[in-house]
């Protein structure tokens, strides 16, 4: 069989990156990276279900997408509650008729402690949100999506030592593993990929690093010496997420990509 693509088989970039007709659930979509992904997907034509624990935040994001001409609803949902996650998928289908994209984005861990000082509760809370809820999200998405894709938001913390955040790093390493196995088990029906964002100064980022104001933030940005010269934005992650969930990435599955402004020279 020829692997060449005839010129007639090249759709336009607008078609390749369009999410027209797709229905996406984005967990943790009330602010930060999840909000960036939800807004980018809506701008690309998806109908978006913005889900997070804080109902007022997701309703505000959804209302603002609608005000910009998109289609979205906000749904309050704690992703560590399995029944609520199943109800979230059913709400998406009731509202928009189908489900084709699921983004496991809700996550983060404010506790910064060496492994030896971490309490059992802190470990359990971190793994429940950052690992177990991703597995539940994958299982739920696989149950309700006929064909489509799943995107897991991981972290570079899962790929090396992270003194003070070993619990979070272990959970995110687990997410990278889940992405690989789920991609193999669900292909070719559902693609499964991941993104490891670099530093994006969201609420959880500021809390975890003890950043109190813009001066602290600017000093941290300078000290971190990111090759691209700045922290990332939710849009930087939203555009990478759009590629991975769009028809343009129809042959991409099982990948976890770092989107982080460049790797620092050693
Ligand atoms: P954020 O604090 O700005 O937003 C987190 C979102 O998740 C919020 O909408 C919050 O309501 C929601 N959330 C938290 N717990 C939840 C729960 N139990 N159920 C439902 N929703 C819940 O954080 P962010 O920086 O945008 O983080 C998003 C993802 O990106 C996380 O998985 C995080 O680990 C990952 N990440 C962030 C960075 C960064 O620099 N910001 C870097 C690497 C990875």
């Amino acid at each position: 069989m020829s692997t060449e693509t005839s010129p007639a088989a090249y759709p336009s970039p607008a078609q390749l990156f369009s999410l027209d007709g797709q229905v996406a659930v984005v967990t943790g979509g009330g602010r930060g990276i999840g909000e960036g992904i939800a807004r980018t997907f809506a701008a690309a034509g998806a109908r978006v279900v913005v889900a997070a624990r804080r109902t007022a935040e997701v309703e505000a994001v959804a209302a603002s997408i609608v005000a910009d001409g998109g289609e979205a609803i906000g749904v309050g949902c704690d992703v560590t509650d399995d029944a609520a996650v199943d109800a979230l998928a059913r709400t998406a289908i009731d509202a928009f008729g189908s489900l084709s994209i699921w983004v496991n984005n809700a996550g983060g861990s404010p506790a910064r402690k060496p492994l030896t000082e971490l309490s059992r509760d802190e470990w359990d809370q971190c793994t429940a949100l950052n690992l177990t809820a991703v597995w539940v999200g994958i299982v739920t998405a696989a149950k309700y999506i006929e064909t489509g894709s799943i995107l897991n938001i991981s972290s570079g913390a899962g790929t090396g030592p992270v003194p003070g955040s070993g619990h979070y790093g272990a959970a995110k390493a687990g997410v990278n593993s889940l992405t690989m196995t789920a991609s193999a088990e669900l292909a070719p029906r559902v693609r499964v990929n991941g993104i490891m964002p670099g530093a994006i100064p969201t609420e959880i980022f500021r809390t975890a690093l003890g950043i109190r104001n813009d001066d602290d933030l600017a000093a941290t940005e300078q000290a971190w010496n990111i090759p691209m010269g700045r922290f990332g934005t939710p849009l930087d992650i939203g555009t990478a997420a759009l590629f991975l969930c769009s028809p343009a990435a129809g042959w991409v599955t099982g990948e976890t990509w770092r989107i982080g402004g460049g790797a620092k020279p050693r």
Side-chain angles (χ1 to χ4, degrees):
M1 195 174 89
S2 169
T3 54
E4 283 184 29
T5 308
S6 77
Y10 281 99
S12 70
Q15 289 170 311
L16 286 168
F17 291 93
S18 169
L19 297 185
D20 268 352
Q22 305 233 30
V23 177
V25 166
V26 181
T27 71
R31 56 175 195 264
I33 292 170
E35 178 179 355
I37 294 171
R39 287 182 183 280
T40 310
F41 282 9
R47 285 167 288 170
V48 181
V49 179
V50 187
R53 241 179 351 184
R54 298 184 197 168
T55 306
E57 283 189 355
V58 290
E59 284 177 348
V61 172
S64 147
I65 288 173
V66 171
D68 287 346
E71 285 187 74
I73 56 168
V75 178
C77 171
D78 182 339
V79 295
T80 62
D81 175 347
D82 300 4
V85 174
D86 195 79
L88 171 62
R90 284 185 278 109
T91 301
I93 292 167
D94 286 349
F96 294 131
S98 65
L99 181 61
S100 52
I101 297 173
W102 185 283
V103 183
N104 288 308
N105 165 76
S109 173
R112 281 182 74 83
K113 284 182 184 173
L115 292 169
T116 49
E117 290 170 25
L118 204 64
S119 71
R120 175 61 189 247
D121 271 358
E122 286 166 330
W123 171 268
D124 285 346
Q125 275 172 25
C126 180
T127 52
L129 173 61
N130 292 285
L131 179 59
T132 309
V134 174
W135 168 64
V136 171
I138 290 170
V139 171
T140 307
K143 177 173 156 192
Y144 290 103
I145 292 177
E146 220 165 279
T147 57
S149 69
I150 297 170
L151 180 67
N152 298 324
I153 302 305
S154 179
S155 166
T159 63
V162 273
S165 281
H167 48 315
Y168 176 70
K172 293 296 194 182
V175 169
N176 293 354
S177 173
L178 281 176
T179 298
M180 290 186 278
T181 302
S183 73
E185 291 181 351
L186 299 177
R189 187 173 65 86
V190 179
R191 298 184 299 104
V192 187
N193 291 296
I195 290 177
M196 297 184 286
I200 319 284
T202 58
E203 184 175 312
I204 197 78
F205 176 93
R206 288 168 187 255
T207 308
L209 294 183
I211 291 171
R212 289 153 305 171
N213 53 43
D214 288 350
D215 288 345
D216 282 358
L217 191 64
T220 309
E221 186 173 55
Q222 204 174 11
W224 283 24
N225 204 17
I226 296 164
M228 288 309 291
R230 62 168 176 85
F231 283 140
T233 66
L235 178 64
D236 289 321
I237 306 306
T239 51
L242 171 59
F243 170 68
L244 286 170
C245 294
S246 73
W251 207 47
V252 182
T253 195
E255 303 288 347
T256 295
W257 290 344
R258 182 172 185 278
I259 306 293
K264 280 185 230 172
R266 288 174 197 272

